[in-house]
Amino acid sequence: MTSSTTTTSYSVRSQQWREFWFYFSVNKTAVAGLVFLIGVVLMAILADVISPHSPTEQYREFAEIPPAWMEGGQMRFFLGTDYAGRDMLSRIIHGARLSLIAGCIVVLMSASIGVLLGLVAGFRGGWVETIIMRIMDTIMAVPGLLMALVLVAVLGPGLLNAMVAIAITYTPSFVRLTRASTMTELNKDYVTASKVAGAGPMRLMFISILPNCMAPLIVQGTLSFSTAILDTAALGFLGMGAQAPLPEWGTLIAENRDLMLSAPWTVTFPGIAILLAVLAINLMGDCLRDALDPKLKRS
Amino acid sequence: MALLEITNLTVEFATAHGSLKAVDQVSLSLDAGDIVAIVGESGSGKSVAMLALMGLLPWTATITADQMSFDGKDLLTMNAKQRRAIIGKDISMIFQEPMTSLNPCFSVEYQISEVLAQHFGGSRGSHKNKVIELLEKVGIPAPETRLKAYPHQLSGGMSQRVMIAMMIACEPKLLIADEPTTALDVTIQAQILELLVELQQANSMALVLITHDMAVVAETADRVVVQYAGQQVEQRPVTELFNNPRHPYTQALLSALPEYAKGKTLNAIPGVVPGQLDRPVGCLFSPRCEHAKDLCHSQPAPRSEGVLCHYPLPINTTAVIQTEAVS
Amino acid sequence: MFKFLFKRLLVLVPVFFGVTLVAFGFIRALPGDPVEVLAGERGVSPERHAELMAKLGLDQPLWQQYLSYVGDVLQGDLGTSLITNRPVAEEFFELFPATAELAICAILFAVILGIPAGIIAAVKRGTWIDQGIMSISLAGYSMPIFWWGLLLIILFSNTLNLTPVSGRLSFLFEVEPVTGFMLIDSLLSDEKGAFKSALHHLVLPAIVLGTIPLAVIARQTRSAMLEVLSEDYVRTAKAKGLSPLRVIAIHALRNAMITVIGLQVAVLLGGAILTETIFGWPGIGKWIIFSVFSRDYFAVQGGLLLIAGCVMVVNLTVDLLYGLINPRILH
């Protein structure tokens, strides 16, 4: 940054990247979030290797063992065991896999459908736009969790159905965002230029316009990723998401809820896992927004 | 003693690419009743210096100066509360964009009476007559009917008049006008300038006029400060400066005026003001200066007789250009 | 003003029909049919099945069913609960005050703490105070509230014994429901200590439900303030020599609020489902969860419509408030 004062020219893209990295890296918390998240991802990938026990194996004689540092705890079950004698640490490590995959799939589904509908709505206008937008308004009129619950009631409980239901409730925000950016971009000269040059509607939509709408979409995607993890856990907690014995974090809290007072660790640690994972993603999302949104930059 | 005394004022901004020197060692001395114009291209730090004086710069700015005093009071050491007692009362400032400088949520009366209530006490309502008087003074017809108007119902010229009324409400000793006419229609520009000079003479206040318009300078100012890339390149009385510019940049600015055009083309200054990343090592104007020599490219320029240049243009005893030609 | 109101109402009409379509489609899309639910485990004979189908109007073509459904809805008939046999609307409005009381207290908690926190963070931008407030609010925003509720119960109810675990009022008291708001009703009644008990029951659920709105409001207030603080008119206000408090409270906040007020009703009602489940709070959130689990589909259908109605009404109110605060929007 200091050396650049004497440089007269370097490529625009590398400057953009450097600028982005500057905003990202000065934010220590965002870097911490990134590092933590990488840790969680590695944990999820290597779950089978690093977890000390199988997540489903029941050590009946060791039920409700407290964490290692508490009285009566054992190093063997570092975070204690649940009512059936399953190792909490192993269950939480395996749960990371489910939560991350759920988050990814929800974002991919809602973003791809949302972006497509948003592009079409912004690009076509007219009655197509009206219909799409009114459908989105309808979805948004119902609180997200309630909508997801109702959808799961129709589809049947289960992790996959929960993901589909949550993805549907997230779609409107992507549609609105894409439509708004598309409409702004549509009026710009470069779009007119490429129209004049004979670009077809597909090319205009995906090659000319879409890349210029990416910044807010990336931010929205990150934020949706974190809320998707929360909502998947909430549905799991209500018994409408992942079903036991799957070690999904929300399900873990639900199945140990009766032990909440006698063995609080069985409820505490899965919750901390959710909180930290979501917080790490939000830290990054926040910083991404600062870095990608020119309005928020320091002048 | 001078009303305003600024010596070696420097303002730096912290940015993504390191620190940016927006104002570099600027000095200014003003007496009551003076009209000084500060001219320069966009980005030359004209407004920033004055905003620093007002204490209106964002937190990213670092202000340093050897001296900055107003009416015998040291602005550098006083606390925020003491400064606020002066700002808006004895020193006030008019901004470039009248349309956005008024709060869209409040009526004209509210916004003007607020400043009166702040500095003279009393409720806002008790100043109603004064507000009408002020609106009349700045040439707003039927002021009583405009009291309840909101900014979005006013034209640009009207908004600027309201802004002026607001800023002269406390009869300031120094008024800073930051490009007060730039955002207005050409026909309105002259009216607003006339109004400012009128008010200046009536109250014998000092006026600092920030502008990039040389014609405005010639018409109104006593003294001119020419600023380039944050530095003061020349500071002299207006007739002297117009008759005999000593800094190549001033000369270039003047010869870029349509009145000086020879033949059918206007003289433009080649290049642009250096930015944060391409600041020259030597004199800041050297890359664009037609008189630049090797020394200019390697050494920062020294200041002598109010001119910041290695090779000031010679003193011309037989002035050919008359100021009248410009106005 | 009326033109403004009319325009907003016009947008709501298609949304209303959209929601009825969703509510209607919900029942048809379910596996099995309502009659089977009604019959439960016992099962019904085919003749009885057909008879019940006819009684519920389920033997008609779909479009006709939808039209008669919308007709019923417009007349205020939202169907009858399959479990309690009472009109859904009646059940809903009986439970609604409990949720409203909880939601109002939650939003008050969020606003009272969130707005000052956001303002302080914006004004002290870049300092450790700003970073501290923003980190805490980000943690609040990332909070799984069902877990947060359990954690607070473990801490305050179990360990410290400060608050009750569930319900709205101790069973020692008998309070006549006048307004449905327990805090008010307990004050109106002559039962000593009832108000204190009601307050004790309310504190934890309100905090839990208010946590995410609190975080969102603090963050939104901060960014709205930062945006407004860089406006020219705020510079003008400072140039007048006004005190920072006045610049912020009068010149910046009023405009900033326009972007913050968005009362987050949808967020609150969604959160109410979880909060009420955890704290055994007898409101619509718990009711709708119970209805989903007991497969009381008419109750779910009616509840869906009524909750969406609440969200629409509140959003409309917020829009109108914007207009009142800022004359620009109306013009």
Side-chain angles (χ1 to χ4, degrees):
Chain A
M1 287 161 296
T2 40
S3 63
S4 62
T5 39
T6 46
T7 326
T8 42
S9 71
Y10 40 85
S11 92
V12 177
R13 190 159 288 273
S14 94
Q15 186 185 347
Q16 280 174 342
W17 177 244
R18 283 167 64 133
E19 195 175 33
F20 170 78
W21 183 246
F22 168 81
Y23 283 107
F24 197 87
S25 59
V26 286
N27 195 332
K28 303 257 177 339
T29 50
V31 176
L34 179 67
V35 170
F36 185 83
L37 191 68
I38 291 172
V40 175
V41 171
L42 285 177
M43 192 168 94
I45 295 170
L46 303 172
D48 293 323
V49 185
I50 58 170
S51 63
H53 304 275
S54 151
T56 46
E57 187 166 355
Q58 305 184 352
Y59 299 91
R60 286 285 178 178
E61 63 277 31
F62 295 110
E64 292 182 47
I65 298 254
W69 60 89
M70 278 169 70
E71 206 185 319
Q74 299 183 2
M75 276 316 283
R76 209 178 137 197
F77 304 108
F78 190 71
L79 294 181
T81 57
D82 67 1
Y83 66 95
R86 288 173 294 196
D87 180 42
M88 287 307 295
L89 180 61
S90 308
R91 284 180 76 69
I92 290 172
I93 291 175
H94 280 268
R97 198 180 265 184
L98 294 175
S99 286
L100 289 182
I101 291 175
C104 283
I105 292 181
V106 166
V107 172
L108 283 179
M109 280 198 285
S110 54
S112 48
I113 297 170
V115 167
L116 196 66
L117 289 177
L119 272 175
V120 171
F123 199 78
R124 284 290 303 272
W127 61 270
V128 178
E129 180 187 22
T130 311
I131 289 177
I132 293 176
M133 293 324 286
R134 290 299 88 80
I135 293 174
M136 295 306 135
D137 284 348
T138 305
I139 298 177
M140 286 187 108
V142 182
L145 191 62
L146 176 60
M147 191 60 146
L149 265 175
V150 167
L151 288 167
V152 173
V154 172
L155 299 168
L159 186 55
L160 185 66
N161 290 344
M163 291 190 296
V164 173
I166 294 169
I168 291 176
T169 65
Y170 286 2
T171 310
S173 46
F174 284 102
V175 176
R176 287 188 161 190
L177 209 57
T178 316
R179 170 176 161 267
S181 338
T182 307
M183 282 165 53
T184 327
E185 297 297 323
L186 210 51
N187 291 324
K188 294 198 178 154
D189 291 341
Y190 76 89
V191 177
T192 319
S194 87
K195 257 188 218 161
V196 171
M202 280 302 179
R203 190 181 168 82
L204 274 180
M205 277 201 286
F206 291 100
I207 313 275
S208 305
I209 296 177
L210 187 59
N212 292 298
C213 310
M214 280 321 275
L217 286 172
I218 290 171
V219 174
Q220 180 66 30
T222 324
L223 295 179
S224 302
F225 184 47
S226 65
T227 36
I229 292 179
L230 274 182
D231 284 348
T232 315
L235 282 181
F237 174 75
L238 290 172
M240 301 300 271
Q243 300 293 305
L246 273 184
E248 196 274 321
W249 290 338
T251 316
L252 284 186
I253 296 177
E255 68 184 14
N256 290 311
R257 200 180 150 188
D258 295 337
L259 305 179
M260 167 175 110
L261 300 180
S262 62
W265 59 88
T266 55
V267 172
T268 314
F269 294 121
I272 292 177
I274 302 174
L275 176 62
L276 289 181
V278 174
L279 183 60
I281 299 164
N282 281 339
L283 280 172
M284 284 175 48
D286 238 26
C287 190
L288 272 181
R289 183 175 46 197
D290 288 357
L292 291 174
D293 184 350
K295 264 205 314 200
L296 291 170
K297 277 183 192 170
R298 289 191 277 163
S299 53
Chain B
M1 189 179 49
L3 178 70
L4 177 73
E5 196 74 61
I6 299 176
T7 327
N8 291 338
L9 171 70
T10 299
V11 180
E12 280 176 285
F13 287 98
T15 72
H17 305 284
S19 112
L20 164 75
K21 216 176 241 183
V23 175
D24 193 357
Q25 308 257 317
V26 163
S27 303
L28 186 66
S29 170
L30 266 181
D31 287 314
D34 275 1
I35 303 186
V36 170
I38 304 182
V39 289
E41 289 166 88
S42 329
S44 59
K46 308 171 296 224
S47 321
V48 176
M50 291 301 118
L51 287 171
L53 170 67
M54 296 284 287
L56 293 178
L57 288 175
W59 62 280
T60 44
T62 319
I63 301 165
T64 47
D66 292 345
Q67 195 195 355
M68 186 154 79
S69 65
F70 175 79
D71 212 7
K73 292 171 215 134
D74 187 1
L75 292 169
L76 288 171
T77 52
M78 69 171 47
N79 65 29
K81 202 175 167 193
Q82 290 165 322
R83 184 191 281 257
R84 282 202 306 276
I86 299 178
I87 299 298
K89 184 169 183 291
D90 295 330
I91 313 179
S92 56
M93 185 160 178
I94 296 164
F95 301 104
Q96 182 172 355
E97 296 282 346
M99 305 295 262
T100 54
S101 293
L102 293 173
N103 192 325
C105 282
F106 295 100
S107 67
V108 166
E109 183 190 3
Y110 185 102
Q111 298 192 47
I112 299 177
S113 56
E114 188 182 33
V115 67
L116 290 164
Q118 176 71 31
H119 294 290
F120 296 139
S123 70
R124 273 184 287 105
S126 63
H127 297 290
K128 190 171 178 176
N129 290 332
K130 175 79 178 164
V131 173
I132 296 176
E133 189 189 310
L134 281 165
L135 289 178
E136 214 159 16
K137 212 187 229 176
V138 295
I140 290 181
E144 298 84 2
T145 61
R146 298 300 178 120
L147 288 177
K148 292 284 166 248
Y150 283 91
H152 62 92
Q153 296 162 328
L154 302 174
S155 66
M158 280 297 161
S159 298
Q160 194 60 296
R161 285 175 196 269
V162 169
M163 189 75 197
I164 293 172
M166 196 154 83
M167 288 311 178
I168 59 156
C170 300
E171 289 166 8
K173 294 174 183 155
L174 168 62
L175 180 66
I176 302 163
D178 184 0
E179 310 220 13
T181 58
T182 309
L184 303 176
D185 289 346
V186 185
T187 45
I188 310 293
Q189 287 185 357
Q191 295 176 14
I192 295 286
L193 272 178
E194 215 168 282
L195 173 66
L196 282 174
V197 174
E198 234 170 65
L199 292 167
Q200 182 267 335
Q201 278 162 357
N203 302 340
S204 75
M205 63 180 178
L207 179 66
V208 173
L209 191 64
I210 301 172
T211 181
H212 58 249
D213 188 342
M214 276 302 201
V216 168
V217 175
E219 244 173 88
T220 47
D222 308 327
R223 196 145 43 95
V224 187
V225 175
V226 181
Q227 214 156 307
Y228 181 79
Q231 295 178 330
Q232 250 171 17
V233 294
E234 188 163 2
Q235 177 172 171
R236 289 167 63 215
V238 69
T239 18
E240 272 185 43
L241 183 112
F242 273 85
N243 286 340
N244 181 203
R246 301 278 322 274
H247 194 282
Y249 178 62
T250 316
Q251 188 196 36
L253 267 187
L254 288 173
S255 59
L257 287 172
E259 289 84 350
Y260 292 84
K262 296 181 183 76
K264 285 189 175 173
T265 50
L266 276 175
N267 289 317
I269 308 176
V272 289
V273 182
Q276 187 184 359
L277 301 179
D278 52 3
R279 234 174 140 82
V281 189
C283 168
L284 293 185
F285 187 58
S286 59
R288 300 172 71 186
C289 182
E290 53 183 3
H291 308 288
K293 299 183 171 60
D294 285 347
L295 182 63
C296 300
H297 292 293
S298 57
Q299 292 286 324
R303 185 181 300 279
S304 65
E305 297 164 42
V307 182
L308 190 72
C309 189
H310 285 291
Y311 309 104
L313 300 171
I315 296 170
N316 190 348
T317 41
T318 54
V320 247
I321 305 158
Q322 295 298 312
T323 24
E324 285 71 31
V326 201
S327 53
Chain C
M1 187 77 198
F2 284 105
K3 207 175 136 199
F4 180 72
L5 178 68
F6 183 72
K7 264 205 294 214
R8 293 294 145 124
L9 276 175
L10 214 61
V11 179
L12 286 186
V13 174
V15 177
F16 170 77
F17 281 102
V19 175
T20 57
L21 209 58
V22 170
F24 175 79
F26 159 67
I27 294 253
R28 319 297 129 167
L30 279 170
D33 62 53
V35 174
E36 282 168 28
V37 178
L38 203 57
E41 301 288 304
R42 287 163 296 154
V44 283
S45 65
E47 300 80 47
R48 179 80 182 124
H49 186 267
E51 191 187 315
L52 280 170
M53 288 291 271
K55 193 180 151 206
L56 293 169
L58 298 172
D59 54 346
Q60 287 163 331
L62 269 183
W63 62 271
Q64 220 164 7
Q65 287 183 36
Y66 175 67
L67 284 186
S68 67
Y69 170 68
V70 172
D72 286 347
V73 167
L74 288 176
Q75 284 167 26
D77 175 13
L78 294 175
T80 309
S81 161
L82 293 172
I83 306 283
T84 59
N85 248 326
R86 292 172 57 205
V88 172
E90 194 183 305
E91 285 204 328
F92 182 90
F93 286 110
E94 200 175 289
L95 297 168
F96 183 72
T99 301
E101 184 176 36
L102 178 60
I104 290 169
C105 291
I107 202 75
L108 280 179
F109 164 75
V111 165
I112 289 170
L113 287 181
I115 290 183
I119 293 172
I120 293 170
V123 174
K124 302 275 176 195
R125 182 185 187 186
T127 63
W128 64 270
I129 300 175
D130 176 24
Q131 282 167 1
I133 291 176
M134 283 304 105
S135 306
I136 294 171
S137 77
L138 199 65
Y141 182 68
S142 311
M143 190 66 82
I145 63 168
F146 50 96
W147 174 75
W148 178 227
L150 295 178
L151 207 66
L152 291 183
I153 290 177
I154 294 176
L155 187 66
F156 287 98
S157 307
N158 199 52
T159 314
L160 300 172
N161 236 333
L162 286 175
T163 53
V165 176
S166 77
R168 297 179 77 187
L169 192 68
S170 161
F171 59 86
L172 295 171
F173 302 105
E174 191 85 37
V175 168
E176 182 90 10
V178 184
T179 56
F181 287 81
M182 195 56 85
L183 286 178
I184 298 170
D185 288 349
S186 61
L187 275 179
L188 292 176
S189 77
D190 44 11
E191 297 259 6
K192 260 204 166 127
F195 178 72
K196 205 176 154 201
S197 167
L199 201 60
H200 270 175
H201 280 83
L202 187 60
V203 168
L204 283 193
I207 290 177
V208 169
L209 185 55
T211 299
I212 289 184
L214 166 63
V216 175
I217 287 175
R219 291 158 57 78
Q220 281 184 353
T221 306
R222 177 179 179 270
S223 58
M225 283 294 292
L226 285 180
E227 203 164 293
V228 172
L229 283 178
S230 62
E231 293 280 355
D232 287 345
Y233 58 77
V234 170
R235 186 178 61 187
T236 308
K238 285 186 195 158
K240 286 170 163 183
L242 303 178
S243 70
L245 195 70
R246 191 174 167 83
V247 171
I248 290 162
I250 308 288
H251 286 269
L253 193 60
R254 194 171 152 128
N255 299 28
M257 278 308 100
I258 294 163
T259 31
V260 174
I261 293 177
L263 276 171
Q264 318 221 341
V265 186
V267 175
L268 275 178
L269 288 175
I273 294 174
L274 293 166
T275 313
E276 292 183 1
T277 308
I278 296 160
F279 288 96
W281 189 266
I284 49 171
K286 190 171 164 240
W287 169 72
I288 206 145
I289 276 282
F290 175 78
S291 304
V292 168
F293 276 105
S294 55
R295 298 164 46 115
D296 186 351
Y297 296 127
F298 286 123
V300 176
Q301 186 188 35
L304 191 71
L305 200 60
L306 286 168
I307 291 174
C310 290
V311 174
M312 285 191 270
V313 168
V314 177
N315 283 346
L316 183 69
T317 318
V318 169
D319 271 355
L320 292 181
L321 281 178
Y322 286 169
L324 284 180
I325 289 181
N326 190 339
R328 259 186 312 183
I329 293 180
L330 293 182
H331 282 279

